[in-house]
Amino acid sequence: MKSSLFRKLLLSYLIVVLASVGVLSLVTVFLFRNYYLNLKEKEILQEGENLSKIILSYLQNGRLPANIRRILETRALSRDIRVLFLSEEDLSNPPPFPIPQRQRRFLEEARRRLMEGQRIFEKATIPFSGQNFLLAVFPLKEEERFLGALALFSPLADTTATVNTVLRLTLLSGLFAVGLSFLLAFRFSRSITRPLQMIREKARSMASGNFDTVIELEQEDEIAELAQDVNFLSHTLGETLKTLEREKAQIENILKNMQEGVVAVDRSGRVLLANPAFLESWKNLLKTNNILESPLPEKAKEPFLRAIEEGEESSGEFSLPDGRHFILLVSPLKGEKNELYGAVGVFQDVSELKKIEKVRREFLANVSHELRTPLTSIRGFLEAMIDGVIDEQEREKYLQIMHQETLRLGRLVSDVLELARLESGKVELERKEADLASLIARSILKLTPQIEEKELKIKTEITPDLPRVLVDEDRIEQIILNLLGNAIFFSPQGGTITITATSREDSVEVSIEDQGPGIPEEEIPYIFERFYRVEKSRAKKHGGLGLGLAIAKQIVELHGGEIGVESKVGRGSRFYFRLPGV
């Protein structure tokens, strides 16, 4: 892990091992040296005691026989000890060579101590050679009489060499231990840092959005448990994020497919979020990206102000100059601690509802008007007959008028009921394969009297091998009769009506074209609405109710087709409808 944890662990282990090996080596050498010196001291002191007793037993007139001296020297040499017998005379006479003042005082002090019976034991250094040795001097006294001294010398060179050897062996062992510890520390450090490095890489992978990788460790310790916890955390976070993404996608799809415009703003009115329906309707009015600064009507801004300032739901209703009408619902946006940070508004376009409401009112007004007119006429004539105002000669005439009004009233009621059934979707079509050419011929035959009355020419253009269609024959014939009847009504005397039936890619088209006055362009979008009549006075005169085309449109749409009109004023009209082929 770069130069951080791995090196820290490795260096820590090495420092501990080096310190331990160093301290252990120093302590071992120090203890061994002390033990060896103590052993040497005990040995030389024990040997000095024994030799002193032997010498005292062999002294003759203050002299030690030469043979005894050699025996004692040989014995001492076997233990790496050198002995020297000094008589009282030797100790009393100064050395035959000059010595420094400090050594002279040392000799005088040693002679005094020996004369007093004290034993001398010191570590000394041989002048000029610099060799170290142990010196032990024992006084030889017999019945308080000083006879001389026994000096034992034991060089420390072997001791120093032994200690140095032990030191080298300890250092070599320490170095081997350090090397072995380095390998073990390296392996142990890697066993700690490698899983941590894998966990770190896993964390970085999680940060980049990848939650699929899994940390696999063979060891069973706290680090392995940490890796398992990280794996569990990664899995849980991945599932949580997937859930959040699904919820986000659902919310986005809901907002995207909503017909109502949704917009969220902060406390200053700045737009935070808007769905496509809102942007499509208001993008030209929100160039400033701020609801409160946009050119929206004040009635649209007031609900946002109330929600932002008072933190309460509010609503409003307003209209735009282009005729669109909206209902606005605004709710405050609050955080976890109920702090207010904005508002969300829903713009519901109710223009179509308003239009439907208007159409409904017009429909009721038209139906009422259409029903009132024949009823008023019939009631007037009946009252006149009851009162005897109409004589017997005129009664037949008025009865004929009343009969026509009754028929007209029946047609109106039938058409209204028919249209209501079609719009409710409760009409069941009796579909079967039909030949449109036969339906057209039959419709022409039924309207032959009207055609002959106006001396019209019927021209048919039907494609050979016209595909059959799966339709309700009676309903389709009703459409043809309605369109052909209108064409006959609006065609001039002696004019021509062209009926065409052609095959298209996946449908069959039937069109009826007349040479009438045509339909103004501004009235074409409303031609299929209920009770709509271009020439209301003429339609009323001839019994037209304005429901035929509305019924024809419903029938065509129930068959999955479409109906339309093409017209130019003064050049006639062409009505057509298309039906899916078999």
Side-chain angles (χ1 to χ4, degrees):
M1 297 176 68
K2 296 185 179 179
S3 62
S4 56
L5 184 59
F6 176 75
R7 290 189 180 182
K8 288 179 181 179
L9 287 174
L10 186 59
L11 291 177
S12 299
Y13 294 145
L14 290 180
I15 290 173
V16 171
V17 171
L18 287 173
S20 302
V21 171
V23 172
L24 181 63
S25 300
L26 292 177
V27 171
T28 301
V29 172
F30 176 77
L31 293 177
F32 180 79
R33 181 175 178 277
N34 288 342
Y35 170 78
Y36 199 75
L37 288 176
N38 290 334
L39 185 64
K40 197 71 173 177
E41 290 175 1
K42 290 180 180 180
E43 183 181 8
I44 195 172
L45 291 175
Q46 185 66 35
E47 186 68 15
E49 293 286 347
N50 296 332
L51 292 178
S52 296
K53 293 177 181 180
I54 295 174
I55 291 173
L56 286 175
S57 62
Y58 286 100
L59 279 177
Q60 299 176 0
N61 300 323
R63 299 289 181 178
L64 184 67
N67 58 342
I68 299 299
R69 184 191 297 270
R70 286 194 295 273
I71 291 172
L72 294 177
E73 290 178 352
T74 302
R75 173 181 169 170
L77 283 174
S78 64
R79 298 188 178 185
D80 197 21
I81 300 175
R82 295 167 179 79
V83 298
L84 177 63
F85 173 72
L86 299 173
S87 63
E88 181 183 5
E89 182 180 357
D90 294 332
L91 293 173
S92 300
N93 297 328
F97 52 84
I99 60 176
Q101 184 66 25
R102 186 178 64 178
Q103 295 182 3
R104 185 183 296 278
R105 286 197 301 271
F106 171 75
L107 292 175
E108 291 177 353
E109 177 65 19
R111 182 174 179 279
R112 183 186 64 77
R113 291 172 58 187
L114 290 172
M115 293 291 289
E116 294 176 355
Q118 298 181 14
R119 185 178 60 184
I120 299 174
F121 182 79
E122 291 185 2
K123 181 180 178 182
T125 302
I126 299 177
F128 308 110
S129 66
Q131 294 182 0
N132 296 324
F133 61 92
L134 289 177
L135 170 63
V137 183
F138 295 86
L140 299 174
K141 296 180 69 176
E142 188 177 39
E143 298 179 355
E144 299 301 328
R145 178 174 171 240
F146 183 73
L147 301 177
L150 175 64
L152 289 86
F153 303 88
S154 179
L156 295 177
D158 292 342
T159 302
T160 303
T162 302
V163 172
N164 290 337
T165 300
V166 172
L167 179 61
R168 285 195 298 273
L169 291 177
T170 303
L171 291 177
L172 289 175
S173 301
L175 291 176
F176 176 77
V178 170
L180 181 61
S181 300
F182 175 80
L183 295 177
L184 294 176
F186 183 86
R187 182 176 179 82
F188 183 70
S189 300
R190 290 294 295 173
S191 68
I192 294 178
T193 58
R194 184 173 176 274
L196 293 179
Q197 185 175 5
M198 295 173 64
I199 293 174
R200 183 192 64 179
E201 293 175 352
K202 172 65 176 178
R204 291 183 175 180
S205 178
M206 291 167 57
S208 62
N210 182 13
F211 298 94
D212 298 330
T213 58
V214 178
I215 304 174
E216 296 182 357
L217 299 178
E218 298 180 356
Q219 61 199 57
E220 296 182 359
D221 52 14
E222 289 80 359
I223 296 180
E225 293 178 356
L226 176 62
Q228 293 177 1
D229 293 340
V230 171
N231 288 334
F232 178 74
L233 174 64
S234 175
H235 175 74
T236 304
L237 285 177
E239 293 299 322
T240 303
L241 287 179
K242 288 179 181 178
T243 302
L244 292 176
E245 288 176 355
R246 286 195 297 267
E247 293 178 353
K248 180 183 177 183
Q250 291 175 356
I251 294 174
E252 288 179 350
N253 287 332
I254 291 173
L255 291 176
K256 181 179 179 180
N257 295 316
M258 284 182 64
Q259 298 297 325
E260 295 81 4
V262 180
V263 59
V265 300
D266 59 14
R267 299 197 64 176
S268 64
R270 184 172 58 89
V271 176
L272 301 176
L273 173 69
N275 69 337
F278 178 85
L279 295 176
E280 184 178 353
S281 299
W282 304 98
K283 59 183 177 182
N284 295 329
L285 295 176
L286 288 179
K287 296 180 180 179
T288 60
N289 199 37
N290 191 300
I291 287 287
L292 303 180
E293 297 177 1
S294 66
L296 285 173
E298 291 300 322
K299 290 185 178 181
K301 298 179 182 179
E302 290 174 359
F304 282 99
L305 287 172
R306 287 197 298 270
I308 293 174
E309 295 176 356
E310 302 174 7
E312 298 180 356
E313 293 184 355
S314 59
S315 61
E317 188 172 349
F318 62 94
S319 299
L320 296 180
D322 59 5
R324 291 184 295 168
H325 195 85
F326 289 88
I327 294 177
L328 173 60
L329 301 175
V330 182
S331 299
L333 293 175
K334 297 182 179 180
E336 296 180 356
K337 298 182 179 180
N338 209 32
E339 73 275 10
L340 183 66
Y341 66 90
V344 58
V346 179
F347 290 80
Q348 185 177 6
D349 189 347
V350 294
S351 303
E352 289 297 324
L353 294 177
K354 291 288 184 180
K355 184 178 179 181
I356 292 173
E357 178 65 20
K358 180 181 178 181
V359 170
R360 186 186 67 84
R361 289 196 301 267
E362 291 179 353
F363 173 75
L364 293 176
N366 289 331
V367 169
S368 300
H369 175 74
E370 294 295 338
L371 289 173
R372 185 174 62 248
T373 300
L375 287 175
T376 301
S377 177
I378 294 172
R379 186 183 64 183
F381 290 137
L382 286 174
E383 289 177 352
M385 288 181 182
I386 293 172
D387 294 339
V389 176
I390 301 176
D391 55 21
E392 293 294 335
Q393 296 178 355
E394 296 291 331
R395 180 171 295 186
E396 185 67 27
K397 172 184 175 183
Y398 287 110
L399 286 175
Q400 186 68 30
I401 295 175
M402 290 170 60
H403 181 260
Q404 292 178 356
E405 291 297 328
T406 304
L407 294 177
R408 178 184 173 193
L409 185 60
R411 290 196 303 273
L412 173 62
V413 173
S414 298
D415 288 344
V416 170
L417 292 176
E418 177 73 4
L419 183 60
R421 285 196 299 269
L422 291 171
E423 289 182 343
S424 66
K426 296 180 180 180
V427 176
E428 294 184 3
L429 301 176
E430 297 180 2
R431 294 176 181 264
K432 60 182 179 179
E433 290 190 11
D435 183 10
L436 286 178
S438 299
L439 293 178
I440 293 171
R442 192 161 63 197
S443 300
I444 295 173
L445 182 62
K446 289 182 178 182
L447 295 176
T448 299
Q450 292 90 329
I451 295 172
E452 292 178 349
E453 181 182 354
K454 297 190 70 171
E455 300 178 353
L456 299 175
K457 296 178 182 178
I458 303 298
K459 181 180 178 182
T460 58
E461 297 178 357
I462 299 177
T463 304
D465 300 328
L466 187 68
R468 299 174 69 83
V469 290
L470 189 63
V471 296
D472 187 325
E473 287 190 4
D474 293 338
R475 298 289 183 181
I476 300 303
E477 184 178 350
Q478 182 181 354
I479 297 173
I480 298 174
L481 288 172
N482 183 281
L483 297 180
L484 183 57
N486 289 341
I488 294 172
F489 174 75
F490 289 104
S491 293
Q493 190 75 20
T496 301
I497 296 175
T498 304
I499 302 176
T500 305
T502 58
S503 173
R504 294 183 175 271
E505 294 180 357
D506 54 355
S507 63
V508 178
E509 180 182 283
V510 177
S511 67
I512 299 175
E513 184 176 357
D514 60 50
Q515 296 176 340
I519 304 171
E521 184 177 355
E522 64 274 9
E523 297 191 22
I524 289 179
Y526 310 103
I527 198 68
F528 292 100
E529 291 185 2
R530 292 166 291 188
F531 294 103
Y532 188 83
R533 292 170 295 193
V534 178
E535 296 185 39
K536 298 178 176 55
S537 60
R538 290 184 60 189
K540 183 176 180 181
K541 178 180 178 182
H542 292 272
L545 301 175
L547 292 176
L549 292 178
I551 293 173
K553 179 182 178 184
Q554 292 295 328
I555 294 174
V556 171
E557 291 179 352
L558 282 175
H559 283 83
E562 60 176 323
I563 189 170
V565 61
E566 297 173 355
S567 181
K568 293 288 185 181
V569 176
R571 299 177 60 181
S573 301
R574 173 180 173 270
F575 284 84
Y576 64 89
F577 64 92
R578 300 187 182 99
L579 297 172
V582 177

